[in-house]
Amino acid sequence: MASPSPPSSPQAAASNPIISAEALAAAAERRNRENPRQQTAAQLAQEHERKQKFRRMVNPGIMRPNPKEQALSSLKVRQTPSYLVFFLVPTLLKIAENLLNEPDNPKYQQFKPTNTAIKRELIDRKGVLEYAIELGFRPDVENFQPYYRWHKRHLEDLQVGTEILKEFMEVHKREEERASVSKLTIQEERRAAAEKVKLAYMDDRKTKMERDEMERQARGARASSSRPDGPARARIAGSPTREAEMPGQGETLTSPPPYEPPVDSD
């Protein structure tokens, strides 16, 4: 019969501590994050197709059937004033970011479709609810109340879908900035053209005024050269003038005597 092994010493117990399964899993997950495995070609192709699917769900899936402002409102976080208090409107990006930051928080794992803001931003807009379902939300009922709950097994879908939302919003932001710069450039060009026309008009007026002044001076010079000088004007002024006299001036013409027929001598 084998003798029982002697009890281990405190030093041996300290050198071989008992490690829980949770600690081992956490260490393995940490190693995977620090040293990610290199994906195969098939895995890369699958991930690319998943991203493309999310991209198509955003545009044209959400952007085409909805007015632009409404579609952007449902996709991104925005602030809306209500009674002078600002509150965040729940949108796809906000819901996804909350879940990524706190995936175990029950508050972020569900939303109620009957909520006014949720209904307006996620339910009534075409394509938005479908995107939320692709992120991992599924319909559920609790105490006769409808909910959409997220399941943790869809974590990879949530990560990819959130990445595509951020990508789309970044692209949209750059497009808006370029459009704003282009609009400013057009306005500056119009102002420059208007200023150019104004300067040309002022130059034309100045040129016309100068031309009119030169013509006025030329007319004055011609008028001065056509008049005789002082002595000539004096001689002309001192010469006597003879009035033309008509013959018979002062006489009046009378009518001829009346006609008398000749008298016969017989």
Side-chain angles (χ1 to χ4, degrees):
M1 183 174 180
S3 60
S5 59
S8 59
S9 62
Q11 291 81 5
S15 61
N16 297 305
I18 299 175
I19 301 176
S20 64
E22 291 80 3
L24 290 173
E29 184 178 356
R30 186 166 56 253
R31 283 196 304 271
N32 290 334
R33 286 199 303 267
E34 294 174 354
N35 302 308
R37 293 180 301 173
Q38 187 173 2
Q39 293 179 314
T40 64
Q43 290 173 334
L44 290 174
Q46 183 179 3
E47 182 178 353
H48 174 73
E49 181 57 32
R50 183 185 299 177
K51 289 182 178 180
Q52 288 296 97
K53 181 179 180 180
F54 276 111
R55 290 189 181 103
R56 288 191 295 268
M57 293 185 73
V58 173
N59 192 11
I62 296 176
M63 296 301 298
R64 182 177 295 175
N66 299 292
K68 182 179 179 180
E69 294 301 325
Q70 293 182 7
L72 293 175
S73 172
S74 296
L75 290 174
K76 65 181 179 179
V77 178
R78 67 182 179 90
Q79 290 184 328
T80 303
S82 176
Y83 302 104
L84 303 180
V85 177
F86 286 84
F87 65 93
L88 289 175
V89 175
T91 61
L92 279 177
L93 183 57
K94 183 62 179 177
I95 291 173
E97 287 180 335
N98 287 339
L99 266 176
L100 284 179
N101 294 332
E102 300 182 51
D104 296 323
N105 191 336
K107 181 175 67 174
Y108 298 139
Q109 291 178 351
Q110 64 183 18
F111 62 83
K112 196 173 182 180
T114 55
N115 177 275
T116 302
I118 291 289
K119 185 177 184 301
R120 181 183 66 248
E121 300 292 338
L122 271 67
I123 306 300
D124 293 343
R125 306 278 166 80
K126 296 179 180 179
V128 181
L129 181 60
E130 288 78 0
Y131 199 98
I133 292 174
E134 197 66 26
L135 292 175
F137 287 92
R138 297 294 183 269
D140 196 4
V141 177
E142 181 180 346
N143 296 329
F144 303 101
Q145 295 294 324
Y147 288 91
Y148 276 87
R149 284 194 170 88
W150 180 76
H151 298 272
K152 200 170 183 178
R153 63 177 178 270
H154 297 288
L155 180 60
E156 291 186 2
D157 294 327
L158 177 67
Q159 292 171 342
V160 175
T162 306
E163 178 185 349
I164 298 305
L165 285 175
K166 291 181 178 179
E167 173 188 280
F168 174 79
M169 297 313 303
E170 184 63 28
V171 171
H172 174 72
K173 180 181 178 181
R174 290 197 298 267
E175 290 177 351
E176 289 291 319
E177 290 174 352
R178 284 197 297 268
S180 178
V181 171
S182 177
K183 186 176 181 180
L184 289 176
T185 303
I186 293 174
Q187 291 177 350
E188 291 174 356
E189 290 177 353
R190 289 177 178 174
R191 284 196 295 267
E195 186 68 19
K196 186 176 181 180
V197 171
K198 180 180 178 181
L199 292 175
Y201 174 73
M202 294 177 64
D203 289 342
D204 290 343
R205 289 194 61 185
K206 183 178 180 181
T207 303
K208 186 177 184 305
M209 291 174 63
E210 292 176 350
R211 188 184 302 115
D212 292 344
E213 179 64 20
M214 292 174 62
E215 291 179 356
R216 187 183 65 80
Q217 293 178 0
R219 287 195 301 269
R222 288 194 298 269
S224 299
S225 62
S226 62
R227 290 197 299 268
D229 55 3
R233 285 200 303 271
R235 287 195 301 271
I236 294 174
S239 61
T241 58
R242 297 180 60 187
E243 296 181 357
E245 297 180 356
M246 294 182 63
Q249 184 177 4
E251 298 180 358
T252 59
L253 297 177
T254 60
S255 60
Y259 174 75
E260 295 180 359
V263 180
D264 293 337
S265 58
D266 294 338

